[in-house]
Amino acid sequence: MTTLSERISQSAFDGARLRVVLLLDLYDGAQNQFLEVYEHMRRQVSSVPGHIRDELCQSIENPSQWLITSEWESAPPFLAWLNSEEHVATVQPLHGCVRDTRSLRFSVLRETGKAPGPGTDPPAPGTIASAPRRGDGVVRHALTFTVKPGSEAAVARLLAGYASPPARVDEKTRLRRTSLFMHGNRVVRAVEVEGDLLAALRHVAQQPGVRALEEALNPHLEQDRDLGDPGSARLFFTRAALPAVHHVASGGPEPEDIGRHALFYPAKEGCGTALARLLARQDEAAVDDPASPIHGSTVFQRDDIVVRLLDLRGPLDARPAVALGVEGSHKAAVLARLLDSVKDGVPTTEDELTRFLWRSEMRLITDRRPPAQA
């Protein structure tokens, strides 16, 4: 029998210190420019709350290959920095001197070293993760963007009708599932990948059907973009990234009556992380209850946008408090305090919770899996 901690395959809320590794491949002759850019970045990030330290390293085998490692007190402050416009502006100059980048994030599990002596730096703040996660071999990520009001129906038709890319990316990577939802004029595209997420995203972007879809979407987007301009495309997808901050599942085979749903939670300014953490804790309790209809949950968060993806047994409104993530004393009131707007006050009765649930539910546009998994 798996324990609750083993069912949590991903979480930004365990309080563990975070180590971020950025691998870079520089253009020929760009080293001096890169060092100037790095000095500016270093000064900027050193003042960000939660940042501890960083290091710059150069390969001893290939001088064009560099490594930046940074350490953070925990994942939430790093994600807040990553998703900020300040971060977008800070890293923009990198693109003129870097051919390719790859970012990796790790919770600190073990440390080996001598005890600090007089005059040496004290141990880094933050905690050490208590145990490794078992994981399920799946990487989860999402994109979100808004379309011009009045274009929602046309956008939904485009998103429902595109040709699915081949599931196989390479020997180690495979597209597992793509789910598209809309809430008003907001689109959320959630993907599940076995293997290398970056390789899968590049694979999808190269497919003719996907490229045609993206071009057809361009006139409808509230944020202009030019996919023929690498800088414009990079900026759009950077701002559209909606990271998965928590995933938990009950384990075992997927029940036959499972359904995929998404709920949209617009948080008050500055409350996105607290709201995502509340929903994550609620879902941990739900999957630990054999009677709960929740088979699995993924919470995505960027700033004050929170989306909760549910794999649920039976109808969504069978247990509205569970579906909303507010089962238990005063949980609905806590949620209401974190949301940007709550019509009709705090829902308390089952009818009120059901109406609140329907207002939060995102419309499923398409949910695609390779034939062998469908």
Side-chain angles (χ1 to χ4, degrees):
M1 180 178 177
T2 57
T3 64
L4 174 59
S5 62
E6 290 173 328
R7 296 174 191 156
I8 303 170
S9 60
Q10 180 178 356
S11 182
F13 305 128
D14 58 9
R17 288 208 312 273
L18 182 75
R19 182 145 308 140
V20 181
V21 177
L22 184 62
L23 305 170
L24 308 105
D25 185 15
L26 303 190
Y27 291 119
D28 295 339
Q31 290 188 7
N32 290 338
Q33 178 187 354
F34 167 70
L35 289 172
E36 291 178 5
V37 172
Y38 171 75
E39 282 302 310
H40 174 70
M41 289 176 52
R42 182 181 64 81
R43 289 191 296 270
Q44 291 292 108
V45 77
S46 65
S47 63
V48 176
H51 176 263
I52 300 172
R53 62 170 69 93
D54 57 57
E55 288 184 335
L56 175 65
C57 308
Q58 184 180 24
S59 169
I60 62 174
E61 298 169 336
N62 183 348
S64 70
Q65 293 180 345
W66 293 69
L67 170 70
I68 299 174
T69 63
S70 62
E71 194 166 3
W72 297 75
E73 292 178 6
S74 61
F78 166 74
L79 292 174
W81 156 250
L82 180 71
N83 294 333
S84 68
E85 287 298 311
E86 183 183 3
H87 174 263
V88 171
T90 299
V91 302
Q92 189 69 24
L94 264 184
H95 304 310
C97 48
V98 174
R99 180 183 293 111
D100 194 20
T101 63
R102 182 178 181 83
S103 179
L104 305 169
R105 298 106 191 233
F106 301 87
S107 294
V108 178
L109 282 174
R110 302 286 187 273
E111 287 185 322
T112 302
K114 298 179 181 178
T120 60
D121 292 336
T127 62
I128 303 294
S130 58
R133 299 188 188 93
R134 176 178 294 184
D136 57 2
V138 177
V139 184
R140 295 168 175 87
H141 188 65
L143 296 172
T144 185
F145 52 87
T146 55
V147 298
K148 296 173 183 176
S151 66
E152 294 89 348
V155 168
R157 287 193 296 271
L158 289 170
L159 295 174
Y162 75 99
S164 296
R168 182 181 173 87
V169 177
D170 53 39
E171 292 182 357
K172 298 180 180 179
T173 302
R174 185 172 184 268
L175 296 173
R176 188 173 184 267
R177 193 167 186 174
T178 300
S179 305
L180 280 152
F181 296 87
M182 293 185 70
H183 188 274
N185 70 329
R186 178 169 296 280
V187 175
V188 170
R189 177 190 294 162
V191 298
E192 297 178 1
V193 174
E194 296 174 4
D196 187 333
L197 175 64
L198 184 58
L201 295 179
R202 287 175 173 170
H203 164 79
V204 170
Q206 293 168 357
Q207 303 306 309
V210 174
R211 294 175 70 89
L213 167 67
E214 298 293 350
E215 291 293 345
L217 286 174
N218 280 344
H220 303 295
L221 300 177
E222 287 197 313
Q223 180 189 340
D224 291 335
R225 67 180 183 184
D226 178 4
L227 295 179
D229 176 0
S232 175
R234 185 186 304 113
L235 184 60
F236 177 85
F237 288 110
T238 296
R239 287 174 169 160
L242 185 64
V245 294
H246 194 272
H247 176 75
V248 62
S250 59
E254 185 175 287
E256 291 185 1
D257 60 343
I258 207 80
R260 173 151 285 194
H261 307 270
L263 301 176
F264 177 61
Y265 302 82
K268 288 180 181 176
E269 184 176 356
C271 294
T273 299
L275 176 53
R277 184 183 285 111
L278 169 69
L279 297 173
R281 297 292 180 259
Q282 286 290 101
D283 288 334
E284 289 174 13
V287 301
D288 209 32
D289 177 5
S292 170
I294 295 179
H295 179 71
S297 161
T298 307
V299 178
F300 299 92
Q301 182 228 337
R302 179 187 181 92
D303 300 328
D304 299 324
I305 297 170
V306 180
V307 172
R308 181 162 156 263
L309 191 65
L310 291 177
D311 289 322
L312 193 76
R313 293 184 291 270
L316 178 65
D317 59 354
R319 292 176 60 181
V322 175
L324 277 168
V326 295
E327 188 174 56
S329 178
H330 306 302
K331 290 296 191 302
V334 174
L335 176 65
R337 288 198 296 270
L338 296 173
L339 288 174
D340 185 46
S341 62
V342 180
K343 298 179 180 179
D344 307 322
V346 178
T348 54
T349 68
E350 186 156 325
D351 285 345
E352 291 171 342
L353 286 167
T354 300
R355 288 195 295 270
F356 188 34
L357 176 64
W358 292 133
R359 289 197 297 268
S360 303
E361 186 184 20
M362 303 191 76
R363 178 161 60 107
L364 177 63
I365 305 301
T366 184
D367 184 29
R368 305 185 181 198
R369 288 187 282 184
Q373 295 185 15

